[in-house]
């Protein structure tokens, strides 16, 4: 008869949450994932300052909170760390000899030096898809807001107290999605959801993603140039890699039909900021909506703040309570597998 697997005794776990994926959510998810059997691990907590303080590059890792010293102190004797923004640099890893598993509550563990972790026998897990629905919903909201100029209408009435009838003139009223050619660059977890929703609106959806095989919602573009030449609305969903940096620049923006609308809730580096501002200034773009930027936050001197017909939000497309809860549940399930000596589901 096979004996049931139980939690190994006295596993020390550090919950290095923040003000979005809170330690209380992680602790509750761990309690449910581990269940009533076995010995409850020892939990320690460290609260990181994100998003009240922006993430950035820390030593050799990206998109992390600058708290190396505090993290090193908290990792003393810790076997497992669950975090979203913890900077697992080579320095931090070298100072944590007991560490065996890092669980990152996000779609990609860019805040972890994966090579250094591997060299020290530290496994790295992540939480794929935890914010795909939220980001897709927000992207559609940006598209509708930019197309119908909703923020401008709100601002003229609520902020300025003006019943601005020019919003109803032919020259100034917005476009609608039905029968409008919409191009999507990238067809992953977010892009595929956006494509389905836009198809339901009656948009003419076209997808460019050379890395995805099989059927897509809408047409598949033979080339990026072909997609751009037909897209009255362009929305970006590609990953940021050295090859995709500034994927959309002056030449690509000029290929769009004049008066097109562009939306980027993926990564700011996909888009050449100066080229975007030039296209908005010249009228080549009718409007644009951004949730991500090449530099976050953008400097006060950025042209973005002086460019017309630009809707900006502070990288919040993936921020919903459901996302934080999903991330905590996915991470807790991985910790439970580790302490029960079961195969991990989302390991690098």
């Amino acid at each position: 008869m096979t004996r049931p697997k139980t939690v190994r005794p006295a596993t020390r776990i550090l919950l290095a949450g923040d003000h979005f994926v809170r330690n209380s959510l992680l602790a509750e998810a761990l309690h449910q994932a581990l269940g009533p059997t076995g010995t409850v691990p020892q939990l320690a907590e460290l609260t990181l300052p994100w998003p009240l303080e922006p993430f950035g590059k820390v030593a050799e890792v990206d998109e992390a909170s600058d708290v190396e010293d505090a993290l090193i102190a908290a990792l003393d004797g810790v076997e497992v760390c669950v975090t979203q923004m913890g900077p697992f640099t080579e320095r931090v890893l070298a100072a944590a000899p007991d560490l065996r598993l890092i669980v990152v509550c996000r779609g990609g563990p860019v805040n972890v030096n994966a090579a250094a972790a591997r060299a020290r026998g530290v496994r790295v897990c992540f939480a794929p898809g935890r914010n795909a629905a939220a980001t897709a919903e927000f992207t559609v909201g940006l598209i509708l807001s930019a197309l119908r100029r909703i923020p401008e209408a709100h601002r003229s009435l609520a902020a300025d107290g003006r019943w601005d009838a020019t919003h109803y003139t032919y020259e100034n009223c917005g476009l609608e999605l039905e029968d409008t050619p919409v191009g999507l660059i990238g067809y992953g977890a977010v892009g595929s959801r956006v494509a389905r929703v836009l198809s339901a609106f009656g948009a003419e959806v076209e997808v460019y993603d050379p890395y995805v095989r099989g059927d897509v919602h809408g047409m598949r573009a033979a080339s990026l140039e072909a997609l751009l030449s037909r897209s009255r609305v362009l929305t970006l969903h590609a990953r940021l890699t050295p090859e995709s940096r500034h994927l959309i620049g002056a030449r690509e923006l000029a290929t769009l039909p004049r008066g097109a609308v562009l939306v980027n809730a993926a990564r700011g580096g996909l888009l050449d900021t100066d080229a975007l501002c030039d296209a908005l200034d010249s009228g080549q773009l009718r409007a644009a909506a951004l949730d991500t930027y090449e530099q976050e936050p953008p400097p006060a001197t950025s042209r973005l703040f002086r460019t017309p017909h630009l809707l900006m939000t502070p990288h919040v497309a993936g921020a919903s309570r459901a996302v934080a809860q999903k991330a905590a549940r996915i991470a807790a399930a991985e910790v439970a597998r580790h302490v029960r000596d079961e195969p991990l589901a989302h390991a690098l």
Side-chain angles (χ1 to χ4, degrees), residues 1 6 9 16 19 48 56 59 70 142-143 148 150 169 193 211 228 242 254 264 266 268 296 298 311 323 337:
M1 183 174 179
T6 58
H19 298 283
L48 305 187
L142 290 177
I143 292 172
R148 302 300 298 274
I150 295 171
T169 63
R193 283 173 166 83
Y211 303 102
L228 294 172
N264 184 18
E296 295 190 354
L311 168 60
V323 170
R337 293 183 187 102

Side-chain angles (χ1 to χ4, degrees), residues 55 245 268-269 271 273 292-302 304-305:
F55 61 57
R245 182 169 294 278
L271 183 61
T273 300
T292 59
Y293 308 89
E294 290 192 80
Q295 182 179 342
E296 295 190 354
T301 57
S302 172
L304 294 169
F305 298 116

Side-chain angles (χ1 to χ4, degrees), residues 278-329:
D278 288 342
L280 286 165
D281 284 337
S282 70
Q284 170 61 16
L285 286 181
R286 175 184 178 88
L290 305 180
D291 186 57
T292 59
Y293 308 89
E294 290 192 80
Q295 182 179 342
E296 295 190 354
T301 57
S302 172
R303 285 182 65 189
L304 294 169
F305 298 116
R306 306 188 305 275
T307 299
H309 308 306
L310 177 59
L311 168 60
M312 302 170 66
T313 54
H315 202 154
V316 292
S320 76
R321 291 189 175 185
V323 170
Q325 294 162 2
K326 289 176 191 175
R329 289 196 298 268

Side-chain angles (χ1 to χ4, degrees), residues 85-206:
M85 295 292 169
F88 277 93
T89 62
E90 186 164 8
R91 173 176 172 246
V92 170
L93 289 162
D98 297 315
L99 190 64
R100 291 294 172 266
L101 178 68
I102 303 166
V103 184
V104 179
C105 301
R106 59 202 299 185
V110 294
N111 54 311
V112 178
N113 183 329
R118 190 180 307 113
R120 290 176 170 79
V122 179
R123 302 194 71 184
V124 180
C125 298
F126 56 103
R130 94 276 188 234
N131 68 353
T135 304
E137 290 177 7
F138 198 91
T139 299
V140 174
L142 290 177
I143 292 172
L144 291 170
S145 295
L147 275 177
R148 302 300 298 274
R149 295 188 165 177
I150 295 171
E152 294 164 281
H154 166 80
R155 187 162 51 247
S156 65
L157 183 57
D160 301 337
R162 292 185 297 113
W163 187 273
D164 189 351
T166 65
H167 291 300
Y168 216 109
T169 63
Y170 184 83
E171 292 79 11
N172 291 331
C173 65
L175 308 174
E176 60 186 48
L177 276 172
E178 188 171 26
D179 300 325
T180 295
V182 180
L184 285 80
I185 299 178
Y187 196 76
V190 176
S192 59
R193 283 173 166 83
V194 171
R196 291 199 297 271
V197 174
L198 295 180
S199 295
F201 272 99
E204 298 177 2
V205 175
E206 189 169 5

Side-chain angles (χ1 to χ4, degrees), residues 187-345:
Y187 196 76
V190 176
S192 59
R193 283 173 166 83
V194 171
R196 291 199 297 271
V197 174
L198 295 180
S199 295
F201 272 99
E204 298 177 2
V205 175
E206 189 169 5
V207 174
Y208 175 74
D209 191 330
Y211 303 102
V212 170
R213 300 290 181 264
D215 295 335
V216 299
H217 280 81
M219 300 186 300
R220 182 185 289 276
S223 67
L224 177 58
E225 185 173 6
L227 176 87
L228 294 172
S229 68
R230 292 188 286 264
S231 297
R232 298 290 300 175
V233 177
L234 180 68
T235 176
L236 308 184
H237 302 284
R239 289 188 176 275
L240 181 60
T241 65
E243 294 74 26
S244 65
R245 182 169 294 278
H246 285 188
L247 179 68
I248 303 300
R251 185 178 69 83
E252 289 75 24
L253 293 171
T255 305
L256 291 167
R258 186 169 178 82
V261 172
L262 183 147
V263 171
N264 184 18
R267 283 294 182 264
L270 296 170
L271 183 61
D272 184 326
T273 300
D274 282 331
L276 171 72
C277 292
D278 288 342
L280 286 165
D281 284 337
S282 70
Q284 170 61 16
L285 286 181
R286 175 184 178 88
L290 305 180
D291 186 57
T292 59
Y293 308 89
E294 290 192 80
Q295 182 179 342
E296 295 190 354
T301 57
S302 172
R303 285 182 65 189
L304 294 169
F305 298 116
R306 306 188 305 275
T307 299
H309 308 306
L310 177 59
L311 168 60
M312 302 170 66
T313 54
H315 202 154
V316 292
S320 76
R321 291 189 175 185
V323 170
Q325 294 162 2
K326 289 176 191 175
R329 289 196 298 268
I330 294 170
E334 288 291 68
V335 174
R337 293 183 187 102
H338 169 78
V339 297
R340 291 170 176 152
D341 293 319
E342 297 172 357
L344 301 173

